[in-house]
Amino acid sequence: MEKKEDDKFITICICGVFRIQRNKKTNSVTQWILYDEWKKRKELPVFISLFWSPSDSFRMNDWLDEAVKHVLKYVTSNGYRIHCESQLFRVRNWRTLDTYFIETMFPDEVKNCFAGSLCNELGFKNVICSEETRHTRQKWNNLYKEVQQKITQRAWKFISIETRTAASKLLSKHIWLMIDKPTFSYFAKSCYCSMTHDALIHSSFAKYINFSRKITFTKGVDFGGLWPMVSLLTETKDSRKFILKGKTRELYDLLPVKQLTYGDFKSLRHSAFSLTTSFKKRFLNHHHHLIPLAVKFIRNPLVKCYPVKVINQTLIFFERIFYDYFDGEVVTQQNQEDALRICNKWLEYHQDMFKNIGYRGQEQRWETEANHLSHALDWYVRSEPAIHKNQTWSSFWRLSQEWTRRLRNDNEWDGELNVAIPEWQGTGVNWKEIYSDVNEITTFKDLCREGGEMEHCIASYADLCASGRYLAFSVLHNNERATLGLSRIEQTILYRFDQMRGINNEAVSRSMLIKGKKILKEVNHLIAKKRT
């Protein structure tokens, strides 16, 4: 990794064949690859992080691999030939018992792979890699890749881990010479938000370059809560370059967000941009039918009386509950209005709580109150009661508690839930062999028992569990008990963290929450392993 600077340009050269260059006069950044001469390219082949992390040291391996690959391709395409020696083996497939030949430059790998089976060495052979042979037969393509690996392995004998780490740190340091600081500020506000797990520390140089080439800002621009919407311009297929002056109408006309009325779009300008990011990620990109519900909730003036994290959690409830229960079916206007009324009454009831107790140091209390709202929404979508505009939050909470008690009543299980499948497969894993304090719930009877002992409504998830769209676990950890729920990610076989509740929907401790995340990781690992 080398940095050069003269009167006109600042240049970073990587592995001798890749170059990033900034024009001091115009501030334009270009990327180049060396052939007979330097040729401009839209992007380079390896990810460049704007903030250094230990993984960047290993990316230096990728830079060397790509450099060797590029040089070999260039050399062979110009008529040169590479002479090398390979070894021929005759091996047997242990499943079909068929024998076949393998020609390789890495004989030890073949011997280890076929240890205990037929593996006859048939001698060495001189081979030639050239442009003609590289495109003719598959085995030549394999040998061509092995030549690349052989050269790379030899190179790493002379390059230590410390050298790689130092080179990666230099690259992360010098890459900032290519970045315009005001443009980066706009880029950060538009594309990243830690609340939605898109931390700025994971930002990439390629994404910044794409943003800076496509969007230009006039001086002093401020979109307020609409900054996350600006990033949508980089996702469009429109090849135009946009010049933004900070006007709401101008941005609305440029964006493909016609599911939003201009009035709703304009109202987001006065919201916290982290809320707008969450709204964009959860509703604009996926659940379009819930956009009116989410926007009306965000526009409620009482939202400003609450911590942003709590309001974001409520948006997650909308996404989770309506997706889990309706499963792609149309959510009626009445359903949305009733759910919004419950949320608004919850906002009215707790509006002074933030002023009285704050948020820091009271996270578990806020999580418990948010859990109560989630429970009330569960009650509504599963029992579909008649909602009246004069009902208070206390009324909704009382009715949801009565519903939970009915679920725990042995005589009313079948009448309330009408579950057709009393038992289901779940993950099919014996969890006692992995975690002795984790029990997966795979029967309707055990689900109801868990709900009765923990005083919550997990029994109402029986149909979701039976269909494979939900997994329920009873977890013990450090003398604490909780119920863990995992919901399946749309159109995949994997699951995501849904909720973890203590007795009567109380918030759980941080250590219990970490335990739940570990169980989720293990579930997805086992499912992926079975699939492969």
Side-chain angles (χ1 to χ4, degrees):
M1 215 292 300
E2 183 182 16
K3 187 202 81 167
K4 297 179 181 178
E5 186 172 354
D6 55 29
D7 294 338
K8 294 183 178 180
F9 301 103
I10 301 174
T11 304
I12 298 174
C13 192
I14 307 170
C15 294
V17 294
F18 304 113
R19 192 168 76 180
I20 305 171
Q21 185 172 274
R22 180 182 178 185
N23 187 309
K24 288 184 175 181
K25 184 176 181 180
T26 63
N27 281 333
S28 62
V29 177
T30 52
Q31 300 172 85
W32 308 74
I33 297 180
L34 180 62
Y35 292 91
D36 290 325
E37 57 184 18
W38 289 101
K39 294 185 178 181
K40 192 182 295 185
R41 287 292 179 266
K42 187 176 181 180
E43 60 183 1
L44 297 181
V46 181
F47 178 91
I48 303 177
S49 175
L50 294 180
F51 297 91
W52 186 86
S53 68
S55 61
D56 290 330
S57 299
F58 299 100
R59 288 200 184 100
M60 299 312 294
N61 299 1
D62 299 332
W63 281 111
L64 183 59
D65 289 343
E66 291 294 334
V68 171
K69 179 180 176 181
H70 172 72
V71 170
L72 283 177
K73 185 177 179 181
Y74 173 75
V75 167
T76 55
S77 64
N78 280 274
Y80 292 93
R81 296 185 175 190
I82 300 172
H83 294 260
C84 50
E85 187 178 67
S86 66
Q87 190 168 356
L88 189 64
F89 290 87
R90 185 187 181 193
V91 299
R92 174 181 287 133
N93 187 311
W94 63 273
R95 289 181 178 175
T96 64
L97 300 182
D98 294 334
T99 61
Y100 56 95
F101 296 99
I102 293 180
E103 188 175 347
T104 180
M105 296 176 65
F106 297 93
D108 290 339
E109 293 183 6
V110 176
K111 294 175 183 178
N112 293 333
C113 184
F114 291 92
S117 182
L118 175 66
C119 182
N120 292 337
E121 299 182 35
L122 301 181
F124 293 89
K125 182 180 179 181
N126 292 322
V127 293
I128 299 173
C129 287
S130 64
E131 182 67 10
E132 296 80 16
T133 57
R134 193 170 68 88
H135 291 292
T136 52
R137 296 167 63 185
Q138 182 62 36
K139 74 170 186 176
W140 288 109
N141 289 332
N142 293 337
L143 285 173
Y144 188 82
K145 292 176 183 177
E146 289 187 354
V147 171
Q148 297 175 27
Q149 294 174 21
K150 205 77 173 178
I151 295 174
T152 304
Q153 286 182 5
R154 289 181 180 179
W156 285 131
K157 292 180 180 180
F158 304 97
I159 304 174
S160 66
I161 295 176
E162 291 76 14
T163 302
R164 277 176 267 183
T165 301
S168 66
K169 288 182 177 180
L170 273 177
L171 178 58
S172 291
K173 175 183 177 182
H174 294 324
I175 201 67
W176 283 91
L177 298 174
M178 306 292 151
I179 292 174
D180 179 67
K181 303 306 185 293
T183 303
F184 178 79
S185 175
Y186 298 139
F187 167 70
K189 288 188 283 189
S190 301
C191 301
Y192 293 94
C193 176
S194 59
M195 186 176 292
T196 56
H197 307 292
D198 295 320
L200 184 61
I201 197 171
H202 299 136
S203 57
S204 71
F205 180 67
K207 192 171 182 179
Y208 163 79
I209 288 295
N210 181 47
F211 181 90
S212 62
R213 286 174 177 170
K214 200 155 190 176
I215 307 173
T216 304
F217 299 90
T218 56
K219 190 175 181 179
V221 167
D222 185 11
F223 282 102
L226 288 175
W227 274 114
M229 295 296 185
V230 174
S231 65
L232 292 174
L233 291 175
T234 63
E235 300 170 13
T236 62
K237 296 180 180 179
D238 196 331
S239 59
R240 289 182 298 164
K241 294 182 179 180
F242 304 100
I243 300 176
L244 300 182
K245 302 177 181 179
K247 297 181 180 179
T248 305
R249 187 79 208 191
E250 170 192 52
L251 182 61
Y252 178 76
D253 291 338
L254 291 173
L255 291 175
V257 290
K258 302 313 174 188
Q259 305 94 339
L260 273 172
T261 65
Y262 175 68
D264 288 340
F265 184 82
K266 185 177 180 180
S267 69
L268 293 175
R269 183 164 190 145
H270 306 290
S271 302
F273 82 89
S274 52
L275 274 186
T276 309
T277 303
S278 181
F279 167 78
K280 180 191 76 171
K281 182 177 180 179
R282 301 186 185 285
F283 302 102
L284 274 185
N285 295 344
H286 299 290
H287 309 291
H288 295 167
H289 58 291
L290 296 178
I291 287 177
L293 170 66
V295 172
K296 286 179 182 177
F297 177 73
I298 293 173
R299 292 187 70 170
N300 190 320
L302 292 175
V303 162
K304 295 184 178 180
C305 299
Y306 287 79
V308 174
K309 287 186 176 180
V310 175
I311 301 302
N312 180 59
Q313 188 65 33
T314 307
L315 294 177
I316 295 174
F317 292 156
F318 288 155
E319 179 191 30
R320 175 183 64 80
I321 291 172
F322 281 102
Y323 167 72
D324 284 346
Y325 184 75
F326 291 97
D327 190 28
E329 297 178 9
V330 177
V331 182
T332 66
Q333 184 68 23
Q334 188 62 48
N335 290 143
Q336 294 191 40
E337 289 178 0
D338 288 344
L340 184 63
R341 183 169 286 115
I342 293 172
C343 292
N344 287 341
K345 294 298 181 181
W346 181 83
L347 289 174
E348 290 177 13
Y349 186 83
H350 297 96
Q351 61 181 302
D352 293 328
M353 185 172 163
F354 184 46
K355 181 173 65 177
N356 294 335
I357 69 171
Y359 183 74
R360 291 188 179 276
Q362 301 293 333
E363 289 88 346
Q364 284 198 327
R365 169 69 189 283
W366 279 106
E367 187 177 345
T368 296
E369 297 300 339
N371 288 346
H372 291 168
L373 173 59
S374 173
H375 179 64
L377 291 171
D378 273 333
W379 156 72
Y380 169 72
V381 298
R382 283 163 174 76
S383 60
E384 297 185 2
I387 298 295
H388 307 293
K389 65 179 181 179
N390 293 325
Q391 281 182 269
T392 63
W393 167 248
S394 299
S395 170
F396 294 135
W397 176 239
R398 176 179 56 80
L399 290 171
S400 64
Q401 289 292 80
E402 290 177 358
W403 170 68
T404 303
R405 284 192 289 271
R406 287 201 305 275
L407 294 181
R408 300 201 301 265
N409 188 325
D410 292 357
N411 297 325
E412 296 190 32
W413 278 350
D414 295 334
E416 178 74 26
L417 291 174
N418 191 27
V419 175
I421 304 175
E423 189 172 350
W424 48 89
Q425 183 181 1
T427 60
V429 175
N430 183 2
W431 285 96
K432 294 300 181 184
E433 296 179 355
I434 303 174
Y435 297 115
S436 59
D437 50 2
V438 174
N439 180 42
E440 183 178 4
I441 303 171
T442 57
T443 68
F444 179 55
K445 185 176 181 180
D446 289 344
L447 203 64
C448 292
R449 183 182 295 113
E450 179 75 8
E453 294 174 358
M454 296 296 290
E455 300 181 13
H456 53 47
C457 64
I458 189 63
S460 66
Y461 288 76
D463 285 333
L464 294 174
C465 291
S467 66
R469 288 187 287 135
Y470 207 85
L471 299 176
F473 297 85
S474 180
V475 185
L476 292 172
H477 182 63
N478 293 340
N479 296 321
E480 183 182 7
R481 180 175 173 182
T483 306
L484 170 66
L486 307 177
S487 61
R488 195 176 65 204
I489 302 172
E490 304 153 62
Q491 299 178 348
T492 73
I493 60 172
L494 302 180
Y495 288 81
R496 62 185 170 194
F497 190 91
D498 188 75
Q499 54 187 324
M500 197 168 197
R501 306 288 174 85
I503 295 177
N504 197 23
N505 289 304
E506 292 289 326
V508 298
S509 66
R510 180 171 179 79
S511 62
M512 177 62 85
L513 200 59
I514 293 173
K515 179 77 171 182
K517 297 290 179 66
K518 287 182 178 179
I519 295 171
L520 169 64
K521 187 176 180 180
E522 189 70 31
V523 165
N524 285 335
H525 171 71
L526 292 170
I527 289 174
K529 188 176 180 180
K530 282 184 179 181
R531 183 67 177 267
T532 55

